[in-house]
Amino acid sequence: MNGPPFASQLGVIACHVCTFVCEDTPTETKPASCPRCGTTLHRRHPDSIMRAWALLIASLIFYIPANVLPVMYTSLFGNGSESTIMSGVIAFWKSGSYGIALVIFIASVAIPCCKFLALGLLLTASQRRSRRAPHERAKLYRMVELIGYWSMLDVLVVAVVAALVQFQGLSVIEPRVGILFFGVVVILTMLSAMNFDPRLIWDGDKE
């Protein structure tokens, strides 16, 4: 095996709570614990892949009503209509609000689908203990984590647009139940990424 040694070969382990690196000295009756914060130490997060898969599948299920149910109610001069994510994107585009349409499409369609694919790829490869492109998969995981901070952008756009339109007096925009499902999708994908242990990416190199 090329490259630096693994922590298990050096007999050390990092605490996943305070990141303190300490000696791995478990006993037959009690696992090793962190001398700094007292947390039970694990070389890998317990049931990491199973929990991440469960959260990812749940987010996929909630993504269906998030796209089918209306996310926004629009009323102009007394004529009201409800719109889904895609119909809202089309409406903003036709009205000339290209920036808002692009932001909603990217935040509501492109980014969630990319996160679903990326997490599915990471989980499948780690489950099979794949040795292929570990560096690229580690970068992909960091990218998924970074995108997670901006995943609520669509919810924020709807809230801001609804607040701004109220000042016009002639029209009304209100959020609908679809935006709640979309918020749940965002939270579940973030939890899925958090439950995935990125150290699993490198386990294939041990074989």
Side-chain angles (χ1 to χ4, degrees):
M1 180 187 66
N2 298 324
F6 289 93
S8 57
Q9 296 172 318
L10 299 176
V12 296
I13 189 171
C15 176
H16 65 278
V17 174
C18 67
T19 69
F20 182 70
V21 178
C22 52
E23 187 178 359
D24 185 14
T25 55
T27 64
E28 294 182 359
T29 58
K30 184 179 180 181
S33 59
C34 177
R36 176 189 285 175
C37 65
T39 302
T40 301
L41 300 176
H42 302 282
R43 292 199 176 276
R44 300 292 182 267
H45 295 315
D47 302 322
S48 170
I49 293 179
M50 184 175 64
R51 292 180 182 180
W53 267 124
L55 291 165
L56 180 59
I57 293 172
S59 67
L60 283 167
I61 294 173
F62 278 97
Y63 191 60
I64 296 173
N67 281 273
V68 173
L69 296 176
V71 297
M72 189 167 50
Y73 170 80
T74 306
S75 176
L76 182 61
F77 301 111
N79 297 320
S81 63
E82 293 182 332
S83 59
T84 61
I85 290 176
M86 284 307 302
S87 62
V89 170
I90 295 171
F92 277 118
W93 187 270
K94 288 182 176 179
S95 67
S97 302
Y98 304 117
I100 296 178
L102 285 173
V103 167
I104 294 177
F105 177 79
I106 292 172
S108 304
V109 180
I111 290 180
C113 290
C114 289
K115 288 180 70 175
F116 293 148
L117 291 173
L119 287 171
L121 174 64
L122 289 170
L123 289 169
T124 302
S126 298
Q127 202 166 16
R128 295 181 176 180
R129 300 178 71 90
S130 173
R131 299 183 184 182
R132 297 184 59 183
H135 292 278
E136 286 72 16
R137 282 188 281 136
K139 292 178 182 178
L140 181 62
Y141 174 75
R142 287 194 290 269
M143 184 180 70
V144 169
E145 274 198 319
L146 179 63
I147 291 175
Y149 297 119
W150 300 93
S151 298
M152 280 291 187
L153 191 59
D154 180 52
V155 180
L156 179 62
V157 168
V158 173
V160 171
V161 170
L164 291 176
V165 170
Q166 305 305 322
F167 289 105
Q168 296 181 5
L170 299 176
S171 59
V172 176
I173 293 182
E174 298 176 349
R176 284 293 185 259
V177 67
I179 203 68
L180 175 62
F181 281 99
F182 185 81
V184 173
V185 171
V186 172
I187 294 172
L188 288 174
T189 52
M190 291 178 66
L191 289 174
S192 178
M194 291 171 60
N195 276 271
F196 175 72
D197 191 341
R199 293 174 294 185
L200 295 169
I201 295 173
W202 309 96
D203 281 354
D205 289 344
K206 295 181 180 180
E207 299 177 354

